[in-house]
Amino acid sequence: MTTGKCRVVVDMSKCSGLGLCEAVSPDVFEIGDDGDLIVHTTDVDAERTAELQEAAAACPTQAITIEVDAEQ
């Protein structure tokens, strides 16, 4: 079992604000009223890695990267 944290990294210059990431992980990602992405947290439990990778894969501009920091 993977423990530790995963880090959400967003290249805001690539983000188009479509909100597909928000649809997958609404507690992490939100499109604000101004159309800009709000990242509520960048450090998330590693057990949510698959969910966050799904959110990253849904991004049409590939603005989201998930870095996993596994602890043994």
Side-chain angles (χ1 to χ4, degrees):
M1 181 168 120
T2 302
T3 61
K5 297 284 183 182
C6 59
R7 179 174 300 276
V8 177
V9 180
V10 179
D11 182 343
M12 298 302 275
S13 68
K14 289 183 177 180
C15 179
S16 61
L18 292 176
L20 299 175
C21 57
E22 180 181 19
V24 176
S25 298
D27 63 320
V28 177
F29 305 102
E30 178 184 355
I31 301 301
D33 292 338
D34 59 1
D36 289 338
L37 178 65
I38 300 164
V39 181
H40 290 290
T41 183
T42 57
D43 293 317
V44 182
D45 289 335
E47 57 196 30
R48 293 184 64 191
T49 300
E51 171 193 336
L52 295 172
Q53 288 174 334
E54 181 182 344
C59 179
T61 61
Q62 299 178 335
I64 304 169
T65 305
I66 307 302
E67 299 173 351
V68 179
D69 177 27
E71 296 175 359
Q72 303 299 326

